[in-house]
Amino acid sequence: MTVLSSDQLLAEIDRIIAERHIKDHPMVTDIRNGTATRDAIAGFLRNFYHIAPKPSPQADCAIYAKCPPDPDIHHLLFEEIIMEEGAGTSSDTDRHLKIYFSHAAAFGLSESDLENTLVIPECLAFIHWRYYLAFKGDWLGAMAGSYFIEGASAERNDIILQGLVEHYGFLPGSDDLLFWELHASEVEEEHGDIGPLVAKYATDEFIQQGVLSALRTGIDLQRLAF
């Protein structure tokens, strides 16, 4: 692999995301079509809690701790991601974890049910992945392995939303649908807007290979977790 230009690198990232997009996962399709049972969705929600709402924003803080003192990184990672996930500052809501509890309750799940779930190995692998590169000091790989997924998740979540409204009795704008509505909005898309930062820092072959590898691994682990 030779060194890619910024445009070539970002185009390759877009290609990888499109090729492996989580919106095409069978679980997402089943919810959209109304063929997933409520028990199946509850089982999904039990495990999803441990890969998304619960580790946020702690995993993001682990990445932020390793980043250089760049005002653009501070704005995106701290102000837009960590503060939003932890307190709902951009969306004027609440910690996303609490919003998730309201949705899970609509499927008969308590906070205790979620917390005491025997998490499947695929989810555990994804959980560990969210910290692994940051703890190694590879902050850019850690960002690429997590935040490009955030941007792609907005489209996936919109599909889930459609299924929940059409087949499972949820009302748009209701408190128990807020988690998915928030994560299908521009808030989630903004969390994945790290292309300019990757282009700024991934300037040699070694770093670019690390970014692309982290991206592929992060997407594939998320698919396994789903």
Side-chain angles (χ1 to χ4, degrees), residues 82-149:
I82 292 174
M83 292 303 295
E84 170 60 26
E85 293 286 346
T89 53
S90 296
S91 60
D92 194 26
T93 54
D94 201 341
R95 184 182 177 187
H96 292 194
L97 179 77
K98 295 182 179 179
I99 297 169
Y100 189 79
F101 289 149
S102 295
H103 179 67
F107 284 90
L109 299 172
S110 67
E111 295 180 29
S112 178
D113 291 330
L114 296 172
E115 194 62 40
N116 293 303
T117 293
L118 184 62
V119 184
I120 62 173
E122 292 86 346
C123 287
L124 290 173
F126 188 62
I127 294 165
H128 295 320
W129 171 252
R130 294 196 65 180
Y131 295 92
Y132 173 68
L133 290 178
F135 287 169
K136 282 183 62 180
D138 182 7
W139 63 271
L140 189 60
M143 290 181 71
S146 296
Y147 299 136
F148 282 122
I149 296 176

Side-chain angles (χ1 to χ4, degrees), residues 32-119:
R32 176 64 187 91
N33 294 339
T35 53
T37 66
R38 293 184 71 89
D39 283 346
I41 296 174
F44 164 72
L45 293 174
R46 283 176 177 271
N47 282 277
F48 186 77
Y49 167 72
H50 291 271
I51 67 170
K54 184 179 179 180
S56 297
Q58 288 93 333
D60 306 307
C61 293
I63 298 173
Y64 182 58
K66 300 294 185 180
C67 289
D70 183 323
D72 292 332
I73 294 175
H74 175 80
H75 174 72
L76 175 66
L77 186 47
F78 182 76
E79 296 177 353
E80 295 295 331
I81 296 180
I82 292 174
M83 292 303 295
E84 170 60 26
E85 293 286 346
T89 53
S90 296
S91 60
D92 194 26
T93 54
D94 201 341
R95 184 182 177 187
H96 292 194
L97 179 77
K98 295 182 179 179
I99 297 169
Y100 189 79
F101 289 149
S102 295
H103 179 67
F107 284 90
L109 299 172
S110 67
E111 295 180 29
S112 178
D113 291 330
L114 296 172
E115 194 62 40
N116 293 303
T117 293
L118 184 62
V119 184

